[in-house]
Amino acid sequence: VIPCPAAGSPSAVLRWYLATGDDIYDVPHIRHVHANGTLQLYPFSPSAFNSFIHDNDYFCTAENSAGKIRSPNIRVKAVFREPYTVRVEDQRSMRGNVAVFKCLIPSSVQEYVSVVSWEKDTVSIVP
């Protein structure tokens, strides 16, 4: 739910657009603009993903006889809840030498996951 908070006298007409300037339209059970100017994007299954709707920039405007104002662009990017596994890449090292380990995070979740510690046998070794 993304509100378009604006008020004025006389009352402002609130509208939503894609960053390209194209008007948006309601898509049943996917996207709806409420009478109060709130844009709602409904939960959807991965098979219903549409990049035009779920991975796009939007902005709203408020307009009355006194003028028109535009919000900054608002980025909408859908994220799917999918199971994933973080793992450590195998390394070989001679006794007494340094080994560098790398945490492998699947690319689909890389921008949402960060490494906060390293553990060995459930004991934190690097905070």
Side-chain angles (χ1 to χ4, degrees), residues 16-18 24 31 39 53 56-59 72-74 76:
W16 281 93
Y17 300 89
L18 292 174
I24 68 163
R31 178 178 65 194
L39 173 61
I53 293 170
N56 214 328
D57 289 345
Y58 292 83
F59 69 88
N73 282 358
I74 299 164
V76 170

Side-chain angles (χ1 to χ4, degrees), residues 6 10-15 17 61-70:
S11 294
V13 174
L14 306 175
R15 300 182 90 143
Y17 300 89
T61 62
E63 183 175 12
N64 65 13
S65 58
K68 184 176 186 177
I69 190 167
R70 177 194 191 281

Side-chain angles (χ1 to χ4, degrees), residues 107-125:
S107 60
S108 61
V109 295
Q110 248 174 3
E111 71 180 280
Y112 308 106
V113 175
S114 59
V115 176
V116 295
S117 71
W118 283 83
E119 295 180 355
K120 179 182 179 191
D121 300 326
T122 70
V123 176
S124 184
I125 57 175

Side-chain angles (χ1 to χ4, degrees), residues 1-5 12-18 22-42 53 58-62 74 76:
V1 175
I2 308 168
C4 184
V13 174
L14 306 175
R15 300 182 90 143
W16 281 93
Y17 300 89
L18 292 174
D22 296 325
D23 283 314
I24 68 163
Y25 51 88
D26 283 355
V27 179
H29 310 293
I30 301 287
R31 178 178 65 194
H32 177 69
V33 177
H34 294 272
N36 68 359
T38 298
L39 173 61
Q40 183 171 6
L41 299 168
Y42 295 95
I53 293 170
Y58 292 83
F59 69 88
C60 73
T61 62
I74 299 164
V76 170

